[in-house]
Amino acid sequence: MTKYYLHLDYKDQYIAKFKTKSDDINLIYKEMSENIIKDGFKRGFTIQQQIDKYTSFCDSIYKMKDHCEKIRASDFLMFFSCYFALCKFKCIKPNEYMFLKIKKRKSRFQN
């Protein structure tokens, strides 16, 4: 199975990288962001209200990263979910993330 690093940029600034099992953006969306969007609809939020919430969270992580503040791992995962929810709502351009294949290194000393 091929593994990838997903590098995320937000407002032209590198935010984080995540390990993924696929480079299929729809599969990643389904795993990470579909549940928060459905939950938002169940709570009665409109699409525009959800976009505003996701954008404000991503902006807060952007500011923390810009000011070199420490960001918790749970906040990075929430950023990941909000980021791909915004991608699904077509608020983020598709060129702001990049997949890189993780290559395995071969040992020089094999028997």
Side-chain angles (χ1 to χ4, degrees), residues 87-104:
C87 285
K88 194 64 170 181
F89 289 136
K90 307 227 186 291
C91 297
I92 292 180
K93 298 173 191 171
N95 61 351
E96 294 188 13
Y97 53 85
M98 174 177 50
F99 288 98
L100 295 175
K101 187 184 266 189
I102 299 174
K103 294 187 176 184
K104 294 181 182 178

Side-chain angles (χ1 to χ4, degrees), residues 2 16 18 20 22 24 39 51 53 64 90-91 98-99 109:
T2 306
F18 299 93
T20 62
S22 171
D24 183 14
D39 191 44
I51 288 172
K53 293 234 183 243
M64 291 173 72
K90 307 227 186 291
C91 297
M98 174 177 50
F99 288 98
F109 304 106

Side-chain angles (χ1 to χ4, degrees), residues 47-108:
I47 291 176
Q48 188 58 47
Q49 289 172 330
Q50 288 189 39
I51 288 172
D52 293 341
K53 293 234 183 243
Y54 303 146
T55 303
S56 68
F57 185 80
C58 288
D59 287 342
S60 68
I61 296 296
Y62 170 78
K63 288 177 186 173
M64 291 173 72
K65 187 76 170 179
D66 196 35
H67 296 318
C68 299
E69 295 177 20
K70 189 170 184 171
I71 303 171
R72 295 181 299 187
S74 60
D75 288 342
F76 273 125
L77 290 175
M78 188 63 187
F79 174 81
F80 189 64
S81 297
C82 291
Y83 186 90
F84 281 103
L86 289 172
C87 285
K88 194 64 170 181
F89 289 136
K90 307 227 186 291
C91 297
I92 292 180
K93 298 173 191 171
N95 61 351
E96 294 188 13
Y97 53 85
M98 174 177 50
F99 288 98
L100 295 175
K101 187 184 266 189
I102 299 174
K103 294 187 176 184
K104 294 181 182 178
R105 294 185 178 195
K106 293 182 180 178
S107 176
R108 294 187 322 175

